[in-house]
Amino acid sequence: MSKFLPGRMPPEIAGQNYRSTPRPGSLANARPGRSLIGITPEQAIARGILCAGNPDTVYQQIMDIYEKVGGFGHFIFIGRSGLLDHREAEKGIRLLAKEVLPRLPAATSTPDARPLGPQNRRRRDDE
């Protein structure tokens, strides 16, 4: 089923994903992730597909990507991958939430963006 995930294949060949067998030699036989095999964290950071380091470094990496792509509609964060154990992943997620995310509203397209704490959430019966 992973072949149906958005972004898994380039748009120009997405229609071929629905065929039971791709045509011989078609781009649908190519694996987009092949270029990631053996990549180092430093190379991934340089390509803008990984943010890692201390909170200031991660913030700057996110902002560099933001400038390069012209803004974000959504920012998706994966807090645990590779060889991180639960404790390490939890530490990273907490650091991101406490020290990086509060600095990011300036990178949103909504001028009045603010974190959704309990004081900013509306209850369903208030709507």
Side-chain angles (χ1 to χ4, degrees), residues 78-97:
I78 299 172
R80 183 176 182 189
S81 64
L83 301 174
L84 289 178
D85 64 25
H86 180 79
R87 188 176 62 239
E88 293 169 323
E90 187 176 70
K91 178 183 175 186
I93 292 167
R94 289 185 189 281
L95 277 171
L96 182 82

Side-chain angles (χ1 to χ4, degrees), residues 33-124:
R34 185 172 293 152
S35 66
L36 299 177
I37 296 171
I39 192 171
T40 66
E42 292 80 11
Q43 291 168 323
I45 290 168
R47 288 176 62 177
I49 58 174
L50 173 69
C51 297
N54 66 48
D56 291 331
T57 302
V58 169
Y59 170 77
Q60 190 56 57
Q61 291 167 351
I62 292 169
M63 293 308 297
D64 290 346
I65 295 167
Y66 175 85
E67 293 297 324
K68 183 178 180 180
V69 302
F72 300 132
H74 297 279
F75 180 74
I76 299 172
F77 167 72
I78 299 172
R80 183 176 182 189
S81 64
L83 301 174
L84 289 178
D85 64 25
H86 180 79
R87 188 176 62 239
E88 293 169 323
E90 187 176 70
K91 178 183 175 186
I93 292 167
R94 289 185 189 281
L95 277 171
L96 182 82
K98 184 177 179 182
E99 299 190 31
V100 179
L101 290 180
R103 296 163 58 182
L104 292 181
T108 65
S109 59
T110 307
D112 63 341
R114 59 188 182 274
L116 282 179
Q119 70 279 8
N120 295 331
R121 289 193 185 117
R122 292 190 305 187
R123 292 183 14 216
R124 286 193 181 267

Side-chain angles (χ1 to χ4, degrees), residues 1-56:
M1 292 303 291
S2 69
K3 70 180 183 179
F4 299 117
L5 294 173
R8 170 69 172 83
M9 292 285 176
E12 62 272 11
I13 64 166
Q16 295 179 30
N17 285 339
Y18 297 99
R19 293 191 171 98
S20 57
T21 306
R23 288 177 276 194
S26 76
L27 291 174
N29 289 322
R31 296 190 50 127
R34 185 172 293 152
S35 66
L36 299 177
I37 296 171
I39 192 171
T40 66
E42 292 80 11
Q43 291 168 323
I45 290 168
R47 288 176 62 177
I49 58 174
L50 173 69
C51 297
N54 66 48
D56 291 331

